Amino acid sequence: MKRIAVIGSTGSIGRNTLDVIRQFPDKFRVAALCAHSNVELLSAQAREFKPELVCLTGQAKTNFHKPGKKAKFFRGFLGLEEMLEDRRIDMVVMAIGGSSALLPLWKAIELKKEIATANKEALVMAGGLISRLAAEKQVKIIPIDSEQSAIWQCLEKEDPAKLEKIYLTASGGPFRLYSKAQLENITLKDALMHPRWKMGKKITVDSATLMNKGLEVLEAMCLFKVSAGDIKVVIHPESIIHSMVEFVDGVVMAQLSQTDMRIPIRYAMSYPQRLKGKARKLNFFQIKSLNFAKPDFEKFPCLALAFSAARDGGTMPAVMNAANEVSVAAFMEGKLGFISIAEIIGKVMRRHRSLKDPTLNDVLDADSWARIEALSLIGE
Ligand code: MG
């Protein structure tokens, strides 16, 4: 029985994680739940799964009612870090989006918990530091993100030295076929209509700008110890192939499945075993054909910015990520146009002098600096 802490239990990945746990009550048990502000759902989840530990990181309008007298309740991000120390937690499923995952993830690795992460921002900001810490603590970071899970599975029984290239597939988002002029008038409602995946709002906007794919390039660099030059982004609108790897002998391995996040979540939790679960299967006779195209870096400059940050390294990825978070939030509030998201990120990056081999504090400083820069540029 694996005892799981679901961090971000009320979000899209969190709810899917609980769904997987619900299907395998003899394999997994919820030891801890953590949500940011959705108290109603957190309370309902706590009543159903009866965890020993519950945490609320943000402010909530209503009070949280403990499911039983025994459950321990924690508040805030410091409370979350304290909660992770509990020995009844075997695995931490990091299902919160954004940079706020960085410190709890760091803490979970320090505590040598098993990690399954859907969060990309932490790996983007501090990829080098996180892989070093994970190696030192002998902690495996198992990806939940569908593309990274695909690469993980393709590389599983292989010699990493024989890997030549990663083909990171991308659906292309809702604006794949838009002209540059059409991109200028995009509204939030348009941006939230993802053709393949149902996800949280921020990641859906990131998918529309292709920044999501850019973040995944940096995520893959951290998880698989490759450089930006080893990764090729391929537009694959059907999202059936979740990514591919090419080896030195010219062989390409791919991982295919339906677009259902419960598949990579289940695998991350049961790794190295495969569990038989409820999942729609692929029907190749219905699919008939799969398509591939090159990404358009000019129409989607966020992807180019991410590759540039990946090549710069140091604190630049953290700066890019912070500027993106601020710009996407401003876009969602109607304060910034869709195409200005990339303009703001580019400007902030050009103002930044990247620090080589940063410490965790350098990364956090760069993150705060970039937020202030982005906010002031948006204010102008
Ligand atoms: Mg993905």
Side-chain angles (χ1 to χ4, degrees), residues 57-179:
T57 51
Q59 296 296 328
K61 290 185 196 92
T62 50
N63 284 328
F64 175 77
H65 296 287
K66 280 192 194 179
K69 284 198 179 100
K70 279 187 189 151
K72 239 177 128 182
F73 188 56
F74 299 83
R75 283 307 291 263
F77 279 95
L78 289 176
L80 167 57
E81 288 188 36
E82 192 191 329
M83 180 178 86
L84 292 175
E85 285 172 16
D86 197 288
R87 283 161 178 263
R88 287 169 291 187
I89 298 171
D90 302 317
M91 171 178 255
V92 174
V93 173
M94 195 50 80
I96 51 179
S99 53
S100 46
L102 177 55
L103 294 178
L105 179 69
W106 189 267
K107 178 83 180 190
I109 300 169
E110 277 186 326
L111 291 163
K112 299 189 181 185
K113 304 286 183 186
E114 277 184 75
I115 311 273
T117 185
N119 178 279
K120 359 192 124 135
E121 289 87 347
L123 304 184
V124 167
M125 295 167 75
L129 290 164
I130 289 172
S131 18
R132 229 174 300 153
L133 182 70
E136 186 193 315
K137 301 284 176 190
Q138 292 177 307
V139 168
K140 263 208 172 90
I141 301 177
I142 308 172
I144 285 177
D145 194 3
S146 58
E147 292 80 358
Q148 317 296 348
S149 175
I151 299 163
W152 174 274
Q153 292 178 56
C154 291
L155 288 177
E156 208 192 321
K157 292 178 178 81
E158 301 292 337
D159 173 0
K162 301 291 157 68
L163 167 70
E164 196 148 276
K165 198 173 282 156
I166 289 176
Y167 288 101
L168 191 64
T169 54
S171 71
F175 311 132
R176 179 171 60 91
L177 302 172
Y178 277 40
S179 68

Side-chain angles (χ1 to χ4, degrees), residues 96-329:
I96 51 179
S99 53
S100 46
L102 177 55
L103 294 178
L105 179 69
W106 189 267
K107 178 83 180 190
I109 300 169
E110 277 186 326
L111 291 163
K112 299 189 181 185
K113 304 286 183 186
E114 277 184 75
I115 311 273
T117 185
N119 178 279
K120 359 192 124 135
E121 289 87 347
L123 304 184
V124 167
M125 295 167 75
L129 290 164
I130 289 172
S131 18
R132 229 174 300 153
L133 182 70
E136 186 193 315
K137 301 284 176 190
Q138 292 177 307
V139 168
K140 263 208 172 90
I141 301 177
I142 308 172
I144 285 177
D145 194 3
S146 58
E147 292 80 358
Q148 317 296 348
S149 175
I151 299 163
W152 174 274
Q153 292 178 56
C154 291
L155 288 177
E156 208 192 321
K157 292 178 178 81
E158 301 292 337
D159 173 0
K162 301 291 157 68
L163 167 70
E164 196 148 276
K165 198 173 282 156
I166 289 176
Y167 288 101
L168 191 64
T169 54
S171 71
F175 311 132
R176 179 171 60 91
L177 302 172
Y178 277 40
S179 68
K180 247 184 143 177
Q182 278 175 304
L183 287 174
E184 287 182 24
N185 302 310
I186 279 163
T187 63
L188 178 59
K189 208 174 143 226
D190 302 329
L192 292 181
M193 304 268 271
H194 195 275
R196 297 286 166 207
W197 294 97
K198 267 180 87 176
M199 308 172 285
K201 277 186 185 171
K202 192 254 175 185
I203 181 173
T204 306
V205 175
D206 281 346
S207 298
T209 61
L210 293 200
M211 179 53 97
N212 182 53
K213 211 45 57 181
L215 296 176
E216 285 177 4
V217 168
L218 283 141
E219 192 187 8
M221 287 167 66
C222 166
L223 289 167
F224 307 111
K225 323 253 173 325
V226 295
S227 65
D230 300 327
I231 304 171
K232 263 209 151 50
V233 171
V234 181
I235 303 294
H236 166 47
E238 293 86 1
S239 297
I240 297 288
I241 298 178
H242 299 298
S243 277
M244 305 178 264
V245 296
E246 185 182 270
F247 297 98
V248 288
D249 59 355
V251 167
V252 175
M253 301 238 271
Q255 186 261 357
L256 292 72
S257 72
Q258 290 276 9
T259 49
D260 180 344
M261 281 313 292
R262 286 171 299 186
I263 297 172
I265 291 170
R266 190 198 305 145
Y267 188 65
M269 282 167 45
S270 66
Y271 173 84
Q273 274 186 53
R274 287 191 188 278
L275 299 178
K276 185 180 167 68
K278 281 188 279 175
R280 285 179 303 135
K281 303 283 165 67
L282 288 177
N283 181 335
F284 291 102
F285 305 109
Q286 256 168 24
I287 297 165
K288 288 195 175 77
S289 63
L290 298 174
N291 291 279
F292 306 97
K294 276 188 184 168
D296 188 332
F297 287 92
E298 225 185 286
K299 238 164 62 181
F300 298 100
C302 281
L303 188 57
L305 290 169
F307 268 104
S308 151
R311 282 188 297 267
D312 286 351
T315 43
M316 196 57 94
V319 163
M320 178 201 74
N321 177 67
N324 181 56
E325 285 189 13
V326 171
S327 304
V328 170

